[in-house]
Amino acid sequence: MFLLANEDGKAGVDQAVELLNNNNTAINSIVAGISMVEEDPHSKIVGLGGLADIGGDVTLDAAIMDGENIDFGAVAGIKKYVNAIKIAAAILHDSPHCMLVAEGAERYAREKNIPQRSPRLRKSEDQWRELFKSYVNEDPSVLSDKVALAQWCKKAILGAHGHLFKDTTIYMAKDHKENIAVGTSTSGWPLKYPGRVGDSPICGAGFYADNQWGAAACTNTGEMALRANTAFAVVQYMKIGLSVEEAVYQAMKDLTSLKGGLLSDLIVYGIDKHGKHKVVCYHSKPNGEPAPKFWYWHKNHSTDLELIVAETMFKDDILSMNHKF
């Protein structure tokens, strides 16, 4: 059994490990852990008190994938519920669909009796106003339906793409029955255009799991993972015989082929079915963000959670590697 979660998942990692130790499923353990992060008002990027889009609305995305059945549930554009991961899990367990968005997802949550609570807090609005003034250089009070947001949003995103707040909570786990699962949850980028969906709820881009090989997830610049299908690529590279380390490096090499568009940092988390892991923060440009950290626990290796610093690599580092694959 194992658990890997990024540093932003701190609020729920102890609970997830406890559940795994008590022979709960990987899916239930991940949902419980991520739910605690979503309910933590101190989290800046997930659930309660999440980051607002350029119009001031907080919308949430989440997903959970079952590596045994190669199936997933996902939601995007949630405004009325804090626990987006619970809605995603309900879709996985009891819907013929894999993904629901916005009002449809919220209606589904209501029918499944998931408690309704707005993720927007006063701190969300205060933070939005501060970021708006910093990166749009306008007074938010001028916003109206007649304002063209596209250029303002583009200016803000390009100006704030190094901002440390854009991230996703990710959990990957294997349970006592050898089943692997991966879960994600996020409020997305600050000042994103209304309706923007990143990689976090998109299977193959922001997450992927397969019991036969392992799992992968991505955080930070979701547009890059969407373009390169990064999480799926990591698992597929393991499928063709690469180690998890080689698989992540190969996925890094894929990212170097991206041209144009928004290129920044992408953190790739990979783990094989035995619990061997590799986490790399890829910088497409100089002066990337500080090295991220992640939580790791393996029942057979250590009884305690470890907080580990990820490797960081720049585009030139990847291109100069003497790949043996």
Side-chain angles (χ1 to χ4, degrees), residues 85-253:
I85 191 69
K86 290 184 177 179
I87 310 175
I91 292 168
L92 168 64
H93 291 310
D94 199 32
S95 173
H97 306 303
C98 290
M99 186 175 188
L100 296 174
V101 303
E103 292 87 352
E106 291 173 345
R107 174 172 179 160
Y108 190 82
R110 187 169 64 250
E111 292 177 4
K112 293 299 177 181
N113 298 314
I114 295 172
Q116 183 173 322
R117 182 183 183 185
S118 171
R120 182 167 176 159
L121 295 178
R122 176 59 185 270
K123 78 163 190 173
S124 303
E125 182 169 350
D126 291 343
Q127 199 169 69
W128 167 68
R129 290 183 179 279
E130 177 185 345
L131 292 172
F132 196 98
K133 290 177 180 178
S134 297
Y135 295 108
V136 182
N137 295 321
E138 298 282 354
D139 187 333
S141 64
V142 304
L143 279 176
S144 71
D145 291 339
K146 297 181 180 179
V147 171
L149 292 178
Q151 286 304 311
W152 282 5
C153 179
K154 184 177 181 180
K155 177 182 177 182
I157 293 299
L158 293 178
H161 69 76
H163 203 287
L164 294 176
F165 286 172
K166 64 177 194 296
D167 214 338
T168 299
T169 292
I170 65 104
Y171 277 51
M172 299 187 285
K174 184 171 80 168
D175 59 31
H176 66 292
K177 292 185 177 180
E178 307 288 307
N179 291 324
I180 297 173
V182 58
T184 67
S185 184
T186 187
S187 59
W189 279 22
L191 306 180
K192 64 188 178 185
Y193 196 88
R196 180 262 184 181
V197 177
D199 63 320
S200 299
I202 305 301
C203 184
F207 64 92
Y208 201 79
D210 185 329
N211 276 7
Q212 296 185 75
W213 316 110
C218 303
T219 67
N220 217 296
T221 310
E223 277 70 8
M224 294 170 65
L226 284 163
R227 292 166 66 185
N229 219 20
T230 303
F232 179 75
V234 171
V235 177
Q236 288 302 294
Y237 287 135
M238 287 192 282
K239 182 177 181 178
I240 65 172
L242 301 189
S243 69
V244 64
E245 181 179 40
E246 292 169 335
V248 170
Y249 285 149
Q250 183 62 48
M252 297 287 105
K253 189 176 181 182

Side-chain angles (χ1 to χ4, degrees), residues 37-41 43 46-52 56-60 77-84 87 106 109 114-125 187:
V37 183
E38 291 174 330
E39 294 162 9
D40 180 6
S43 172
V46 177
L48 192 63
L51 295 164
D57 290 324
V58 177
T59 57
L60 308 180
I78 300 296
K79 290 184 179 181
K80 298 178 180 178
Y81 290 82
V82 168
N83 293 125
I87 310 175
E106 291 173 345
I114 295 172
Q116 183 173 322
R117 182 183 183 185
S118 171
R120 182 167 176 159
L121 295 178
R122 176 59 185 270
K123 78 163 190 173
S124 303
E125 182 169 350
S187 59

Side-chain angles (χ1 to χ4, degrees), residues 8-86:
D8 294 303
K10 182 179 186 298
V13 288
D14 289 328
Q15 174 71 7
V17 168
E18 181 180 350
L19 290 171
L20 288 169
N21 269 322
N22 288 327
N23 292 337
N24 278 271
T25 67
I27 290 173
N28 288 345
S29 300
I30 287 173
V31 171
I34 291 181
S35 292
M36 292 184 70
V37 183
E38 291 174 330
E39 294 162 9
D40 180 6
H42 300 293
S43 172
K44 296 177 180 178
I45 58 170
V46 177
L48 192 63
L51 295 164
D53 64 23
I54 196 164
D57 290 324
V58 177
T59 57
L60 308 180
D61 306 334
I64 182 78
M65 184 166 187
D66 173 6
E68 179 182 18
N69 298 324
I70 318 296
D71 196 7
F72 73 95
V75 294
I78 300 296
K79 290 184 179 181
K80 298 178 180 178
Y81 290 82
V82 168
N83 293 125
I85 191 69
K86 290 184 177 179

